[in-house]
Each structure stands twice: as structure tokens, then as C-alpha cells.
Amino acid sequence: SEFAPAAEFLLGEGYRLRGEPGDDERAVEQYRRSIETHPDFAPAWSALGRVDSRRGDRQLALEHLERFVTLAPTAREAGFARQ
């Protein structure tokens, strides 16, 4: 359905914001589910990049944020992602 990527993305955001042990992994799982079915859903790519960055995986963060900027070059977060 058209709501699937947003629903999974938002569940991932809930986990990320809650911040309890294991929530980063739960969030990543939801972001990836969103991308699997809707590979052009830019917010999930951005979220993956933020989690990767926080975890210290610079290379993976760059890959995910570059994908986000490609999909949503005019998004508000694109300036941050380009840095």
C-alpha cells in the first residue's frame, strides 16, 4: 500500500527516539523494510544514514546519505546530508 513505507519508517523513528537498549537495531530493521518495498522512499535512507553516523560507521552513513540526497535534493535535511 502507499502507506507501507511511511508506516515502517515511522515505527523506526519511534524506536530511534525512544532510545532504549536494542532500539537502534529495531529502528534500522524498520527503515530497511521500508526501503525493501519502496527503494525510493528518501526519509528512510536519511534515517539510516543518521543511525550509521551515530554508530560511527562513516562509510555506510555516507552511502545512505548520498542516496537520500539523490532522491530528495531539495529536502530540508539535504544540506545536512551533503556535509
Side-chain angles (χ1 to χ4, degrees), residues 20 30 36 62 80:
E20 291 183 5
Q30 294 304 314
E36 284 174 12
L62 287 173
F80 163 78

Side-chain angles (χ1 to χ4, degrees), residues 45 49 52 57-70:
W45 288 104
D52 297 331
D57 192 337
R58 181 176 165 83
Q59 183 58 43
L60 198 54
L62 287 173
E63 290 174 23
H64 291 148
L65 291 172
E66 284 174 356
R67 179 72 174 143
F68 164 69
V69 170
T70 298

Side-chain angles (χ1 to χ4, degrees), residues 27-61:
V28 166
E29 180 182 337
Q30 294 304 314
Y31 300 147
R32 289 191 185 282
R33 284 183 182 179
S34 175
I35 288 168
E36 284 174 12
T37 56
H38 297 82
D40 293 337
F41 188 67
W45 288 104
S46 175
L48 276 175
R50 289 191 312 263
V51 172
D52 297 331
S53 179
R54 192 171 59 246
R55 291 176 164 180
D57 192 337
R58 181 176 165 83
Q59 183 58 43
L60 198 54

Side-chain angles (χ1 to χ4, degrees), residues 9-30:
F9 166 75
L10 291 173
L11 181 56
E13 288 291 270
Y15 285 130
R16 182 183 64 81
L17 293 170
R18 184 172 71 172
E20 291 183 5
D23 279 350
D24 269 355
E25 292 76 15
R26 290 178 191 97
V28 166
E29 180 182 337
Q30 294 304 314

